[in-house]
Amino acid sequence: MSHPVNADSTSRSTIKKISTIIFAVIAVICIGSASFFSVQSASGGTDVRSNMTLVAPAAAGGGWDTFQRELQQSLQTNDLVSNVQVINVPGAGGTIAIGNVASLPDANNLMVGGTGQIAAQIQFGTESQLQDVLPVAKVLEEYDIVVVPADSPYETMDELVEAWREDPSGTPWTGGGSFDQLVITETALESDISPSEMTYIPSDGGGEAIQALLNGTAEASAGGFADMYPQVESGRLRVLGVVAEERLEGVDDIPTLAEQGYDVTLTNWRALFAPPSATEEEIAELAQVVDEAVVTPEWEATVEQNYWREAPLQGEELDDYIAEETERIAGLFEEMGQ
């Protein structure tokens, strides 16, 4: 007796297989990166105070790249490390870089990573996993805000959710990436709306998401604070809430979703990871370097400029946090049917 085939399941399986092939091709192209790291280390020594490579698992210009270049500035300006270079290893949602760093023999390499890589490894079943590298220190968190066009009829989160409940598919949302979609999914669940019934319009970055709002393609969006808030300040968008556990300093007139009755607190966190070849002593030394960097005037200024919030975490607490976040994000992807 034959069984009916679930079209959605077949489609998702096909997409995952295609994605795996694409990622494999990218991995072959990028495989020289690990060798390059080794050459760089050999040329300046492998002591973390003498020579360090900061790995950004994406192309120049994005959040991971900004983080590493600001960290580089802090380390060099304050003579915390003699020589610091930033290497960009884009591809596969940041998981190509994980594979490269996992193969490095020296500890003086720090990759920034976090929520985005966990999302990519779950969504696409990538071979490289964040668990393949060693957590050194969680440094900060970035937050999404929920926004609507300035002329939207929705002036509060409750008004938006009420309309969304009445017509889940007819109240389209957008976001600039997989993290934003996760936030929207969690918001739907907290609003008693099935994620399978909602309409989500993916955008390629915050700029495209803003245009989708302004041209009427989407009615609401969850997006990164640094992308969206300038549009709120200019009067083009209206903010209904921030996705954080408490109000943010400097913009404390924006209520959290949690205090409005929607327990949505997923953060786009940033942590630093070392190769698995690093010893406990080397991990401790790397953590000390990070501790010194994040109290410099240069780093404090960039935290304020980018609307970041310091959220330090190390050791077993960080290990537990990553495990909990991985389970949480996997659950959201299941709700999304992926």
Side-chain angles (χ1 to χ4, degrees):
M1 179 178 176
S2 61
H3 297 277
V5 177
N6 185 304
D8 289 341
S9 176
T10 302
S11 176
R12 290 194 298 271
S13 176
T14 302
I15 291 172
K16 183 170 287 190
K17 288 178 182 178
I18 293 173
S19 300
T20 301
I21 294 171
I22 292 172
F23 294 164
V25 172
I26 295 173
V28 171
I29 294 172
C30 296
I31 197 68
S33 299
S35 299
F36 180 76
F37 297 155
S38 298
V39 171
Q40 289 291 89
S41 294
S43 66
T46 58
D47 178 77
V48 299
R49 294 285 183 174
S50 300
N51 189 52
M52 185 177 291
T53 296
L54 301 177
V55 183
W64 280 326
D65 179 67
T66 298
F67 179 101
Q68 292 292 54
R69 295 192 186 277
E70 295 292 353
L71 181 58
Q72 177 191 37
Q73 178 72 12
S74 176
L75 291 171
Q76 289 184 329
T77 301
N78 295 277
D79 297 321
L80 300 178
V81 177
S82 298
N83 179 47
V84 187
Q85 58 270 332
V86 175
I87 303 299
N88 295 88
V89 185
T95 61
I96 295 296
I98 294 175
N100 284 177
V101 172
S103 67
L104 297 177
D106 301 314
N108 61 330
N109 298 277
L110 280 178
M111 179 194 72
V112 64
T115 316
Q117 288 165 314
I118 293 175
Q121 71 189 38
I122 293 172
Q123 185 175 14
F124 302 113
T126 60
E127 183 176 348
S128 296
Q129 305 274 307
L130 198 59
Q131 291 75 13
D132 296 339
V133 289
L134 297 179
V136 174
K138 177 172 175 257
V139 180
L140 55 82
E141 295 175 341
E142 294 181 282
Y143 302 103
D144 265 14
I145 52 176
V146 174
V147 293
V148 295
D151 60 357
S152 169
Y154 312 125
E155 296 190 359
T156 67
M157 195 67 197
D158 282 344
E159 290 178 357
L160 172 61
V161 169
E162 183 179 355
W164 197 15
R165 284 197 190 109
E166 290 179 359
D167 189 2
S169 63
T171 309
W173 286 66
T174 189
S178 59
F179 174 74
D180 299 333
Q181 187 176 4
L182 289 170
V183 169
I184 294 166
T185 298
E186 193 167 50
T187 305
L189 293 170
E190 281 292 313
S191 304
D192 297 323
I193 296 169
S194 171
S196 64
E197 296 179 359
M198 72 180 189
T199 297
Y200 174 75
I201 302 168
S203 296
D204 186 13
E208 190 172 303
I210 291 167
Q211 287 305 310
L213 289 170
L214 297 178
N215 66 25
T217 303
E219 292 192 27
S221 176
F225 204 105
D227 289 331
M228 296 296 185
Y229 191 65
Q231 301 299 318
V232 174
E233 292 181 303
S234 71
R236 303 175 78 192
L237 298 179
R238 176 187 301 142
V239 59
L240 303 184
V242 60
V243 182
E245 292 186 355
E246 57 187 37
R247 296 193 183 199
L248 305 186
E249 184 177 350
V251 285
D252 54 10
D253 58 324
I254 304 175
T256 67
L257 263 62
E259 69 184 83
Q260 298 180 74
Y262 309 95
D263 188 20
V264 183
T265 56
L266 190 68
T267 66
N268 197 3
W269 50 273
R270 299 277 187 256
L272 289 162
F273 298 82
S277 57
T279 65
E280 289 186 12
E281 292 76 13
E282 288 170 328
I283 292 294
E285 179 68 11
L286 288 167
Q288 180 62 35
V289 171
V290 174
D291 286 343
E292 294 173 15
V294 299
V295 294
T296 63
E298 290 77 15
W299 184 259
E300 291 174 351
T302 198
V303 166
E304 182 177 354
Q305 176 184 342
N306 289 285
Y307 301 99
W308 295 339
R309 172 172 286 184
E310 294 174 290
L313 204 60
Q314 296 180 13
E316 291 185 7
E317 290 183 338
L318 177 55
D319 294 337
D320 292 343
Y321 178 83
I322 293 172
E324 291 167 2
E325 286 290 283
T326 301
E327 182 178 355
R328 179 182 184 182
I329 293 170
L332 290 173
F333 272 114
E334 288 182 8
E335 293 287 352
M336 291 158 55
Q338 298 187 26

